[in-house]
Amino acid sequence: MTDSPRGNGRSLRESDPLLADRIVGTPEQQAAARPAVAAGWDEPADIEKAPATIPDLSEVEVPPALKAEIEAHMAKYPNVRSAALPSLEAAQRVHGWCSPEALRQVAAVMRVTPAYLSMLATFYDMLNTEPVGRHYVYVCTSVSCHLRNAQALAEAMKAAKQEGDDVNVREFECLGACDMAPMANVDGRFIGPIDPSEAPEVLAALREGRTPLPGRGLGDEGFRLPWEGES
Amino acid sequence: MPKPEPKLITFEIDGREVQAPEGQMLVDAAKMGDVEIPYFCYEAKLGQPVGACRMCLVEVEGIPKLQTSCSTPVKDGMVVNTKSDRVKQAQNAIVEFLLVNHPLDCPVCDKGGECPLQDISYGWGPGRSRFIEPKRHFEKPVALSPLVAIDRERCILCYRCVRFSQELSEDYQLVFLERADHTFVGTHDGHPYVAPFSGNIIELCPVGALTSQAYRFRARPWDIEDAGSICTLCPSQCNVKYTTRDDNKVVRVLARDNEDVDDGWLCDKGRFGYQAIHVPERVTRPMVRDGGELRPVSWERALSEAAGALARAGDRTAALVGGEATNEDGFLTQHLLRGVLDSPHVDSRTSGVLDPQQQAVLAQPDLTAKVSDIEWAGTVLVLDTELVDESPILDLRVRKGVRRNGLNVIVATSRPSTLDTNARALLRFAPGAGEALLAALAAAVSGQGDLEDLSGRAGTSAEILRGAAELLQEPGPVVVLWGERLSQGERGRQAVARLIDLARQLNLSGTEGAGLLEVPRGTNARGLREVGCVPALGPGLDTATRAGKSAGEIAASVPGEVSALLLVGADPLTTHPDRGMWERALDRATSVIAFADFVTEGLDEHADVVFPAESEAEKDGTMTHPDGRIQRVRQAIARPGEVRPQWSVLAELCERLGNPTGLLSGAMVSERVFESVPFYEGITLAEIGGKGVRWQERDGAARLPRVELPVGELEIPPRATAEGLRLGTGPSIWSNRVVEHSPLLRFLLPEQVVELSPEDGERLGLRTGDQVSVSVDGTSVSGRAFLRSDMPPGNVFLIEGTRTDNATALLNGKPRSIELLRAEETSPA
Amino acid sequence: MAVQEVRVLLDNIDEPGLNHIDTYERLGGYQAMRKALTEMEPDEVLAALENSGLRGRGGAGFSMGKKASFLPKGSMDKYLCCNADESEPGTFKDRLLMQKNPHRLIEGIIIAAIAAGANKAFIYIRGEYVLQADVLDAAVREAYDKGYLGQNILGSRNDVDLVVHRGAGAYICGEETALLDSLEGKRGNPRLKPPFPANQGLYNGPTLINNVETLNNVPLVIAKGVDWFKQFGTEQSTGTKVVSVSGNVQRPGNYEIALGIPARDLVYGLAGGPPPGRKIKCWFPGGSSAPVLLEEDLDRPYSFEAMAEAGSMLGSGAIIVVDDSVPIVSVALRLAQFYRHESCGKCVPCREGTNWTVKMLERIDTGDATPMDLEIMAQVQTNIIGNCLCVLGDSMAMPIGSMIEKFRDEFVEHIERAREAKDRLSVELGTYAEPADAVA
Ligand SMILES: Cc1cc2nc3c(=O)[nH]c(=O)nc-3n(C[C@H](O)[C@H](O)[C@H](O)COP(=O)(O)O)c2cc1C
Ligand code: SF4
Ligand code: FES
């Protein structure tokens, strides 16, 4: 990957406002459709911006702990680019989502372009390119769970989410927990089976910083499925 | 990696026996048997196939599943079927799938008429779509950048554009975002895709998804024509096609794939610069200074004033020939001076003095590498040049060599290079210390001489030099891409001596595929030297009977020494070092006569006569590529206004000065050039044709006297100053007048950037973005500070050729250190 | 009818602390590794694995020993990737094995790596398996501390480094070449084959890719021998299998059986069959990518060959049971939606075909389809099969195709009833319009 050549790096708007208007519309029209990390299908490029080349570390403030973690990941692999996913995961932990700034920080440390990272962040389901919430509740609604009424659980969870909850409640494809169906993956903890009526409790727990449905999570002390042991 | 010799094999396709090079992909091999296999995502120039579109599926005997012919190399005895029902069904299926989300707006699509998807749908599709659900709908073309628009409805996600950005130019700005049927082509956070080669994706797109902001809706394929020529904007001399309309308008520039020159790529300067041809500020009539102002006049008046002035000045005339002049213009200019005015003062270089002996050595056919040698070399040494800025297309060639053939790259530059990430060794040396670096490198290679001391003089470390020396001695030819900068300093002669010495030690002239390839400043620098536009050399590199003044000496001449100055497409105030001295020189000259397409600041103040110059698309003539390939510049459109061919104006001047040339046509001038340069002898325009000829590969080459590489004592290079900040400069790919005058390119015009290391920035209390001023004995320029982590401390880099605050103001051909570097009071928010 | 599990992989699975190295070693762990290192030549190990008949448990069912022997000899870096992406709907066996008994996997990786000459190993585990990844990380550290991983294992000249690499949510990364791209820090796009991973895989080096359960079998084969291993299972499907049973059964879970027992024993005997009063409408024998089978097929032996014979596949060894209360269209729609969402989007037939199929199924459900659409849908499936870059496309087309084929009448009935319902509704709402297809 290359840095931009000499003297490049000004935006069209800076140098030729009228032309910018002609090509991408006036600043007002632009503001109406401000692109996100993955500017949508309908979004023009933002001519206000300079091209997103590899940011120089001297221009980017990276939290030291994050920088250290990324560098540790880079050291683990024969090719540093393999560190991209773990590094994005780390950046998401720090920033709450893969924000443009988060990507810039990873890019500066890894010496890759931000686009290289948004290309990845938008491909993988667990990386969020929008601020959807620091906690997550993934309700599995794939075939096996679907057969055990997962849809109802999903609706219940969505309904239980309240204004201001910092939680990403979403349906998710098979989580590899069909034996626990219907189930949810709450911040990495697999909980199931869950009755839709328990949904409010799960979100309340997240809200109040408690462990949702203690003892009901895979890996919890003495966890068992209701029908295990009986025969 | 040595270029492999392809071996022919025989395979059967649709019942026909066909011969093809072993290992060639089936899609291409099929063409040898006139079998056309439809495809979208495959493009040999993009390297490894991706097999994404699935359009090229064929049946290969012995393999149960259909195979993608884009990724199946032919083998001897292979039996292929591209017409079976299975294949037909698959092709129908793919076309139907592709059209599921493709709008049928061909009538209003720029690609209409030259669209692979359109053609393939007719040729191989089911002829109907059973897809009745609503198609995707999006904003029709939105900007991807100021230069390129994207229509995502039409995109078929073939990977071509993103592969170009990621694997060819390696700018990695253009990517796929999202996944599955949500996938789309885009950039990070809506930033525009702005990079030196971005325009190539327009030509790569197999549908009408990526279009040129400049060309969109300008024309439809059936009312345009194509005219082949070459791009004259930099020494890469890429082969181009001008798409013209009504014989008088260039509406687009396309690549004209020539793998010996450009591999089919263009930089954005070459692709979009044509807009400057059709702008109102273009000079299209002769002008003379009248009442202190340049005013349009008749040709008669301009010619007589010019002839008069030249007659008066006689042998006190000096000529500067700009790098974009053709061999013909250059030849006639030196003829006008030497033959008519009896003045030896003609130079096409911006600074430094060429030594005739050295020039004879450098011109030796077996010492010159050709462009295609780069990718097959074992090791390439990039020496004192930033390819992407000074010969962009070679930058792509080096990357190709690394990617495909495991080429070793040594980057030996003072400023961090965009090629650093592809390099096996980085030699950062003090700006202007190229001579010392070469001496040290030679010492590391030969094991003789005081490596420690020499590397110290170059401002680098012996350790790194040893590593580089090892790479240079690995098997496989070595190609040295060296920047003309090396030969321009006050010790240019000694630096070139060191370069030649290294070449001798590495036996470059004795090794097939090895050699030196200069990256000169001017597009036609090599041709202009070979036709005699340097003070010491006449046509054919013959030592001139009377050595004239070099550009620098012309500028420094005492009053009266030079009274008339002829500027043939030259603009010393922007391109030549020591701007101050040039301003004084222009002031001093009693008359300044210029050929120009735009009135620059310098001309506006100093020119007495201005002849309108042809644009690159209006010219006829030849140029010589740095590797010796003579190429044709061909007129594509009629000359606007009163513009006349430059050669005819020069001939007219000769005639008026009592020395008729007898030249009646451009072709005749070319012939005269070929006759006058012994090693060009016998070349004809027809022979040059569309792809050019390297004179070294013709019998005529024998007419260049053979000289051995000199052996002998070389001076000890001076030590690079350690104290203070050293000044380094270089042009930007965008510092060019066509960028300034093309409406869509103008935003790329560089403003001065002052690059320094974070350490130095820290020390001086500067941050990236601060407006700073840089002074070197008295003269200062200002620019935006940029602290780059990869910059070695002690060096500061500025851009040459900016419209204001041009770094050339700080240069004088000697290594310079900066007196003062500080933030300006008025730092803009 | 009491059916007994054969617990070989799942022996001691509930032993407290089994995830710690000393417990594992107390129960005989890492003996196979010592044996392979001290008493056997790599080629002997490969031979044993091949002779054991052990077949891949990840989906393709290819001979483990053979694949390992494909790696070229030579001093270049070679890689082993353990495929722990387990994302095939209905599959959750690897999860159990990794969480409860991480060291057997590590031991299997060490043995396989040394046998195949690989010096760098990776476990690519799906990002959602946070708990299991943490368990593995801890176990890997223990193994390093004991000198079982790293340089000169047990004083031998063998080096094996092992890194646990977490994915970030993409089913396609289970496909072996997409896994490699993802591990290299790219989007998880499958690669063209050839070149095959054995020759040019991770970082273009020779690479062996195996599933978690496959590698769990390796220490058993080496420790207890080929004959012991072959006593379980059938001629062509040797050994035991941890089968994930889910869907409409009374006791969903992982059950280990000797391959070849009647599927009915699994579904009814072990998993308790469908809820009382329900009948089985159809079942997926090998994850959601396997064409569905009917109730009567339950009497077939559960083995690679028998499932193939029945026109389906054993795949990842995951049984999903659908009972007669569920409309087949809803199953098909969920399935299609899964594959549309998980398609990497690289190749045309999969990207557009899954998308088109979902849209048609949605119309069927909303009453905007005619029986003719059913024909088109069936043809779209045939147009996908065999034309994609990897088999994800086929993984949707085959089960959907099998459903259309086996439940055509129910589809047609569904279409008709949905249309009537819609017309009734729109008449009531006064928004009656010609059905979409009449217009088209
Ligand atoms: C779309 C797709 C998804 C797959 N997912 C997995 C998976 O999650 N785990 C797995 O072990 N194999 C998966 N496979 C199979 C792998 O490609 C590969 O065959 C297997 O990991 C080889 O290991 P084995 O020989 O031990 O079975 C998948 C294949 C495809 C086409
Ligand atoms: S079949 Fe699907 S998943 Fe596989 S390569 Fe094609 S698009 Fe990607
Ligand atoms: S050209 Fe072969 S798959 Fe696209």
Side-chain angles (χ1 to χ4, degrees):
Chain A
M1 252 177 256
T2 71
D3 293 307
S4 64
R6 228 187 223 111
N8 186 344
R10 275 190 321 158
S11 80
L12 174 63
R13 179 79 61 196
E14 283 173 76
S15 56
D16 194 339
L18 292 174
L19 185 64
D21 289 353
R22 211 187 80 214
I23 289 179
V24 293
T26 62
E28 296 69 43
Q29 294 160 336
Q30 281 265 302
R34 171 71 58 246
V37 165
W41 285 93
D42 293 335
E43 307 288 4
D46 181 351
I47 301 297
E48 309 273 343
K49 296 177 174 173
T53 50
I54 302 174
D56 193 285
L57 259 178
S58 68
E59 305 171 89
V60 190
E61 290 275 326
V62 190
L66 178 57
K67 184 160 182 285
E69 183 172 355
I70 296 172
E71 279 161 351
H73 286 308
M74 288 165 72
K76 280 198 309 220
Y77 301 91
N79 177 333
V80 295
R81 288 198 194 175
S82 292
L85 278 191
S87 302
L88 285 169
E89 191 265 327
Q92 175 159 296
R93 243 187 291 115
V94 172
H95 292 262
W97 62 296
C98 288
S99 62
E101 179 52 25
L103 296 193
R104 256 185 107 236
Q105 295 179 0
V106 179
V109 179
M110 286 188 68
R111 304 297 301 141
V112 297
T113 60
Y116 172 76
L117 298 170
S118 26
M119 161 185 95
L120 299 177
T122 55
F123 183 91
Y124 294 94
D125 283 338
M126 294 178 71
L127 298 171
N128 303 319
T129 47
E130 272 150 37
V132 285
R134 280 176 180 271
H135 298 282
Y136 62 82
V137 175
Y138 299 156
V139 181
C140 176
T141 51
S142 282
V143 165
S144 295
C145 286
H146 172 74
L147 294 169
R148 296 177 84 88
N149 200 24
Q151 211 54 44
L153 178 60
E155 302 313 327
M157 287 287 189
K158 288 177 195 161
K161 180 176 168 177
Q162 293 178 7
E163 191 60 38
D165 282 354
D166 192 6
V167 184
N168 175 21
V169 179
R170 61 171 284 190
E171 298 178 27
F172 214 84
E173 295 299 357
C174 185
L175 286 161
C178 320
D179 50 344
M180 307 167 69
M183 60 77 66
N185 171 355
V186 181
D187 291 340
R189 189 160 155 269
F190 285 23
I191 312 175
I194 309 179
D195 187 274
S197 65
E198 299 173 295
E201 165 52 22
V202 172
L203 276 112
L206 286 177
R207 209 171 294 128
E208 295 148 22
R210 290 183 280 112
T211 311
L213 309 182
R216 304 268 301 280
L218 188 64
D220 289 5
E221 195 54 42
F223 170 82
R224 270 167 167 277
L225 290 168
W227 49 84
E228 267 177 353
E230 64 165 87
S231 74
Chain B
M1 163 172 157
K3 193 168 188 165
E5 284 307 317
K7 133 172 186 290
L8 280 191
I9 54 93
T10 311
F11 73 109
E12 186 191 311
I13 183 161
D14 298 342
R16 244 176 269 143
E17 291 258 307
V18 179
Q19 290 227 320
E22 181 169 33
Q24 189 179 38
M25 292 304 170
L26 256 177
V27 253
D28 295 327
K31 298 188 184 114
M32 310 242 164
D34 306 319
V35 175
E36 196 192 348
I37 302 174
Y39 62 84
F40 294 109
C41 67
Y42 175 69
E43 167 53 70
K45 285 193 295 183
L46 290 175
Q48 287 303 311
V50 285
C53 75
R54 319 302 295 169
M55 190 65 227
C56 67
L57 289 168
V58 297
E59 214 169 321
V60 178
E61 220 163 78
I63 309 180
K65 272 184 119 191
L66 295 181
Q67 297 294 303
T68 46
S69 52
C70 68
S71 64
T72 310
V74 278
K75 292 194 197 63
D76 198 53
M78 199 178 234
V79 180
V80 183
N81 189 337
T82 76
K83 302 253 184 308
S84 71
D85 293 348
R86 261 177 85 210
V87 174
K88 280 210 179 61
Q89 197 203 342
Q91 292 170 334
N92 284 334
I94 301 302
V95 169
E96 189 177 32
F97 283 135
L98 276 172
L99 296 180
V100 159
N101 275 311
H102 191 83
L104 300 175
D105 59 356
C106 308
V108 298
C109 176
D110 266 319
K111 201 84 173 183
E114 48 182 22
C115 172
L117 180 56
Q118 209 175 24
D119 304 344
I120 290 174
S121 303
Y122 292 136
W124 287 271
R128 71 187 186 315
S129 171
R130 302 169 296 178
F131 183 81
I132 63 168
E133 359 279 318
K135 290 176 188 260
R136 293 203 211 97
H137 277 301
F138 308 111
E139 281 296 318
K140 300 298 276 179
V142 296
L144 185 61
S145 81
L147 300 171
V148 184
I150 183 166
D151 179 334
R152 295 193 168 104
E153 273 179 16
R154 294 179 185 157
C155 171
I156 59 169
L157 301 175
C158 69
Y159 275 74
R160 285 168 168 237
C161 55
V162 292
R163 279 163 72 205
F164 177 82
S165 167
Q166 297 170 13
E167 291 160 37
L168 263 290
S169 67
E170 299 180 6
D171 57 61
Y172 230 118
Q173 286 185 43
L174 197 67
V175 294
F176 275 166
L177 297 166
E178 301 299 340
R179 185 171 86 196
D181 61 330
H182 295 292
T183 312
F184 67 96
V185 173
T187 57
H188 168 72
D189 194 18
H191 288 259
Y193 176 33
V194 178
F197 303 98
S198 68
N200 291 291
I201 63 176
I202 297 167
E203 276 190 74
L204 284 168
C205 183
V207 295
L210 294 167
T211 48
S212 155
Q213 298 270 24
Y215 178 64
R216 260 172 51 225
F217 315 130
R218 290 291 188 288
R220 302 281 291 163
W222 42 86
D223 50 32
I224 55 175
E225 281 177 60
D226 282 346
S229 185
I230 64 169
C231 173
T232 62
L233 298 178
C234 91
S236 304
Q237 292 184 17
C238 299
N239 292 196
V240 298
K241 257 192 309 223
Y242 291 107
T243 301
T244 64
R245 189 171 184 165
D246 313 331
D247 312 333
N248 62 11
K249 204 156 176 18
V250 175
V251 290
R252 146 177 102 168
V253 173
L254 298 174
R256 189 166 55 82
D257 195 339
N258 181 346
E259 70 166 330
D260 291 319
V261 178
D262 50 47
D263 247 349
W265 309 121
L266 295 179
C267 76
D268 288 2
K269 182 171 54 181
R271 182 179 301 276
F272 298 102
Y274 70 87
Q275 300 165 72
I277 297 170
H278 304 297
V279 291
E281 63 264 37
R282 166 104 186 262
V283 178
T284 54
R285 300 179 56 188
M287 300 190 284
V288 301
R289 188 165 301 277
D290 187 340
E293 292 223 348
L294 284 173
R295 292 196 191 340
V297 295
S298 71
W299 270 102
E300 178 47 42
R301 165 125 186 248
L303 282 164
S304 57
E305 293 222 357
L310 292 173
R312 283 190 298 281
D315 64 0
R316 284 173 294 109
T317 307
L320 298 183
V321 183
E324 290 181 44
T326 57
N327 292 334
E328 290 69 13
D329 296 344
F331 175 78
L332 284 177
T333 305
Q334 64 86 33
H335 172 73
L336 173 61
L337 267 84
R338 293 196 174 108
V340 179
L341 298 166
D342 192 32
S343 158
H345 312 308
V346 53
D347 201 355
S348 54
R349 299 172 77 240
T350 55
S351 89
V353 185
L354 266 193
D355 172 290
Q357 282 68 31
Q358 287 185 337
Q359 203 52 31
V361 172
L362 290 174
Q364 293 300 306
D366 54 10
L367 191 57
T368 312
K370 53 184 189 310
V371 171
S372 52
D373 290 337
I374 294 173
E375 67 188 273
W376 297 108
T379 302
V380 162
L381 170 63
V382 179
L383 177 58
D384 214 356
T385 177
E386 175 57 276
L387 292 178
V388 79
D389 287 321
E390 295 173 288
S391 189
I393 232 65
L394 294 188
D395 170 89
L396 293 184
R397 205 44 98 98
V398 172
R399 294 174 193 279
K400 180 185 180 190
V402 174
R403 210 169 41 249
R404 296 208 187 173
N405 311 331
L407 168 68
N408 295 329
V409 176
I410 304 172
V411 175
T413 59
S414 311
R415 177 179 179 265
S417 163
T418 58
L419 278 170
D420 285 358
T421 39
N422 305 61
R424 291 275 307 278
L426 292 184
L427 302 178
R428 287 286 114 83
F429 60 95
E435 178 192 357
L437 179 89
L438 281 163
L441 200 50
V445 169
S446 64
Q448 291 150 11
D450 186 342
L451 179 55
E452 296 298 332
D453 172 65
L454 289 169
S455 45
R457 291 170 179 275
T460 172
S461 96
E463 196 38 50
I464 310 174
L465 276 158
R466 282 196 201 86
E470 277 167 26
L471 287 176
L472 286 172
Q473 283 156 309
E474 276 187 16
V478 172
V479 171
V480 180
L481 299 169
W482 62 282
E484 183 179 0
R485 177 176 301 107
L486 193 71
S487 67
Q488 283 186 317
E490 87 184 321
R491 293 186 58 87
R493 195 186 271 107
Q494 293 84 344
V496 172
R498 288 292 185 175
L499 178 67
I500 293 170
D501 185 56
L502 180 68
R504 189 180 48 78
Q505 298 215 18
L506 296 169
N507 185 25
L508 297 190
S509 38
T511 316
E512 176 59 32
L516 304 175
L517 183 55
E518 181 181 0
V519 179
R521 298 244 169 178
T523 302
N524 189 31
R526 177 165 193 146
L528 291 173
R529 288 173 214 163
E530 292 178 344
V531 300
C533 290
V534 272
L537 296 169
L541 303 178
D542 287 348
T543 312
T545 39
R546 243 176 77 214
K549 295 180 183 300
S550 70
E553 292 159 347
I554 293 169
S557 61
V558 299
E561 255 184 317
V562 171
S563 60
L565 202 49
L566 179 63
L567 304 176
V568 183
D571 181 17
L573 291 193
T574 50
T575 51
H576 290 47
D578 210 335
R579 185 183 164 110
M581 183 164 68
W582 274 107
E583 268 166 353
R584 291 190 295 280
L586 288 167
D587 266 335
R588 232 174 13 243
T590 44
S591 49
V592 175
I593 301 160
F595 290 84
D597 46 8
F598 294 97
V599 173
T600 61
E601 189 189 341
L603 298 184
D604 193 37
E605 282 181 21
H606 304 284
D608 300 291
V609 181
V610 175
F611 295 118
E614 307 145 288
S615 74
E616 60 271 30
E618 296 150 8
K619 252 179 162 3
D620 258 314
T622 62
M623 287 195 174
T624 308
H625 188 282
D627 78 355
R629 176 173 303 276
I630 299 172
Q631 308 203 88
R632 284 186 72 175
V633 182
R634 308 190 63 173
Q635 182 174 8
I637 54 169
R639 287 178 291 273
E642 301 178 18
V643 178
R644 291 184 186 175
Q646 206 152 300
W647 69 264
S648 68
V649 180
L650 288 162
E652 173 78 23
L653 287 172
C654 295
E655 177 139 19
R656 286 176 183 243
L657 291 162
N659 191 319
T661 59
L663 295 166
L664 303 173
S665 71
M668 280 177 77
V669 191
S670 302
E671 277 168 41
R672 183 73 57 87
V673 170
F674 301 149
E675 289 159 11
S676 316
V677 177
F679 46 91
Y680 286 4
E681 193 178 318
I683 295 181
T684 63
L685 292 175
E687 181 188 356
I688 296 171
K691 297 279 183 194
V693 289
R694 289 188 71 226
W695 63 259
Q696 298 96 326
E697 289 162 12
R698 305 175 69 263
D699 305 342
R703 294 202 183 71
L704 178 78
R706 192 96 190 69
V707 288
E708 289 309 318
L709 273 55
V711 199
E713 267 312 295
L714 294 164
E715 297 175 27
I716 298 297
R719 175 175 302 282
T721 61
E723 70 282 354
L725 292 168
R726 308 188 201 94
L727 172 69
T729 64
S732 154
I733 177 177
W734 308 121
S735 30
N736 183 297
R737 73 191 189 296
V738 304
V739 175
E740 179 181 346
H741 293 286
S742 306
L744 284 182
L745 283 181
R746 191 172 298 127
F747 82 104
L748 289 169
L749 202 62
E751 281 170 352
Q752 194 50 271
V753 176
V754 179
E755 297 178 331
L756 66 166
S757 70
E759 296 85 339
D760 293 327
E762 189 96 357
R763 197 164 42 73
L764 299 162
L766 298 176
R767 293 181 29 265
T768 293
D770 291 352
Q771 195 67 21
V772 299
S773 108
V774 179
S775 335
V776 175
D777 60 25
T779 327
S780 45
V781 303
S782 73
R784 202 161 23 86
F786 173 29
L787 279 51
R788 26 187 320 181
S789 311
D790 55 358
M791 176 71 71
N795 299 338
V796 171
F797 282 86
L798 277 77
I799 304 173
E800 294 173 13
T802 53
R803 209 147 96 276
T804 61
D805 295 292
N806 191 336
T808 52
L810 305 178
L811 303 176
N812 71 347
K814 302 187 185 66
R816 316 223 64 183
S817 10
I818 289 162
E819 284 167 358
L820 192 59
L821 174 57
R822 56 167 174 70
E824 289 182 351
E825 290 62 33
T826 54
S827 237
Chain C
M1 96 196 102
V3 179
Q4 276 307 316
E5 279 189 74
V6 184
R7 292 201 158 203
V8 170
L9 290 162
L10 300 185
D11 58 343
N12 314 320
I13 198 77
D14 291 321
E15 178 76 21
L18 180 61
N19 58 322
H20 291 301
I21 198 160
D22 26 13
T23 316
Y24 179 66
E25 289 199 281
R26 178 162 49 78
L27 297 168
Y30 285 110
Q31 289 310 323
M33 176 192 71
R34 293 179 188 284
K35 183 173 172 192
L37 268 170
T38 56
E39 299 165 31
M40 299 171 81
E41 288 303 312
D43 289 350
E44 293 177 74
V45 177
L46 288 179
L49 291 173
E50 186 160 352
N51 299 336
S52 73
L54 171 59
R55 293 173 66 169
R57 308 298 198 220
F62 192 82
S63 157
M64 195 280 170
K66 246 204 199 63
K67 192 157 53 164
S69 64
F70 287 157
L71 269 70
K73 306 280 172 251
S75 61
M76 72 289 253
D77 275 336
K78 295 186 218 144
Y79 305 92
L80 183 151
C81 293
C82 169
N83 190 336
D85 192 57
E86 189 159 66
S87 307
E88 175 78 10
T91 318
F92 43 89
K93 61 193 176 66
D94 299 342
R95 185 197 80 207
L96 177 69
L97 292 167
M98 292 186 286
Q99 179 184 331
K100 294 293 181 75
N101 196 359
H103 282 288
R104 181 173 287 146
L105 174 58
I106 295 171
E107 184 177 13
I109 288 174
I110 296 170
I111 298 170
I114 290 171
N119 56 331
K120 289 192 163 50
F122 298 87
I123 300 175
Y124 187 103
I125 183 169
R126 63 178 301 180
E128 296 86 348
Y129 281 174
V130 176
L131 170 62
Q132 294 73 13
D134 292 345
V135 170
L136 281 169
D137 274 327
V140 167
R141 245 176 278 115
E142 288 180 328
Y144 265 105
D145 295 344
K146 283 261 182 171
Y148 297 166
L149 285 169
Q151 310 292 310
N152 308 86
I153 299 169
L154 299 180
S156 73
R157 269 192 278 87
N158 299 330
D159 310 338
V160 177
D161 281 302
L162 177 57
V163 172
V164 178
H165 183 88
R166 303 175 191 222
Y171 166 64
I172 187 60
C173 293
E175 194 282 334
E176 55 187 10
T177 58
L179 180 148
L180 297 177
D181 264 30
S182 181
L183 187 44
E184 287 180 8
K186 306 180 184 143
R187 289 160 69 93
N189 292 126
R191 302 175 179 179
L192 277 165
K193 290 187 251 181
F196 290 91
N199 302 316
Q200 241 188 70
L202 192 62
Y203 310 121
N204 287 322
T207 306
L208 173 65
I209 301 161
N210 276 118
N211 165 264
V212 170
E213 185 182 359
T214 315
L215 290 162
N216 264 267
N217 277 294
V218 170
L220 297 179
V221 173
I222 298 306
K224 307 196 167 158
V226 169
D227 297 334
W228 173 86
F229 186 80
K230 288 174 98 168
Q231 73 180 298
F232 309 104
T234 70
E235 188 59 32
Q236 298 166 50
S237 308
T238 54
T240 64
K241 178 90 189 66
V242 180
V243 184
S244 307
V245 187
S246 66
N248 302 131
V249 290
Q250 299 190 40
R251 285 199 303 277
N254 283 312
Y255 301 97
E256 181 173 13
I257 50 116
L259 283 162
I261 69 163
R264 189 176 296 279
D265 290 0
L266 257 163
V267 173
Y268 280 90
L270 292 168
R278 286 291 163 205
K279 284 210 276 350
I280 290 180
K281 174 182 263 180
C282 65
W283 55 291
F284 299 77
S288 69
S289 304
V292 293
L293 298 178
L294 301 174
E295 140 77 43
E296 60 259 33
D297 296 307
L298 282 170
D299 296 313
R300 296 174 183 264
Y302 192 67
S303 66
F304 287 100
E305 59 275 21
M307 290 300 111
E309 207 173 286
S312 186
M313 60 186 194
L314 189 102
S316 59
I319 294 178
I320 307 169
V321 176
V322 181
D323 74 23
D324 58 358
S325 68
V326 187
I328 199 73
V329 172
S330 77
V331 179
L333 181 55
R334 270 314 290 131
L335 214 65
Q337 286 168 331
F338 170 83
Y339 290 101
R340 173 174 72 174
H341 179 78
E342 298 296 345
S343 164
C344 81
K346 182 176 184 179
C347 81
V348 171
C350 172
R351 181 180 73 236
E352 301 299 342
T354 50
N355 163 35
W356 192 356
T357 305
V358 168
K359 286 181 168 159
M360 285 189 288
L361 281 161
E362 283 169 347
R363 280 195 292 121
I364 287 176
D365 218 23
T366 54
D368 295 312
T370 67
M372 195 192 74
D373 290 301
L374 197 56
E375 297 321 309
I376 297 178
M377 195 163 85
Q379 284 170 33
V380 168
Q381 308 314 307
T382 22
N383 282 348
I384 293 172
I385 294 171
N387 291 341
C388 298
L389 176 54
C390 79
V391 299
L392 184 141
D394 303 35
S395 303
M396 174 199 73
M398 291 191 303
I400 299 270
S402 72
M403 290 182 209
I404 299 174
E405 179 194 323
K406 291 183 167 143
F407 297 91
R408 183 171 291 277
D409 300 349
E410 187 181 333
F411 270 98
V412 174
E413 197 191 332
H414 196 113
I415 291 172
E416 297 305 348
R417 273 205 272 90
R419 287 166 62 87
E420 286 159 17
K422 179 176 187 231
D423 297 352
R424 227 181 300 110
L425 188 66
S426 48
V427 170
E428 285 163 15
L429 301 174
T431 62
Y432 185 82
E434 281 300 302
D437 45 280
V439 185

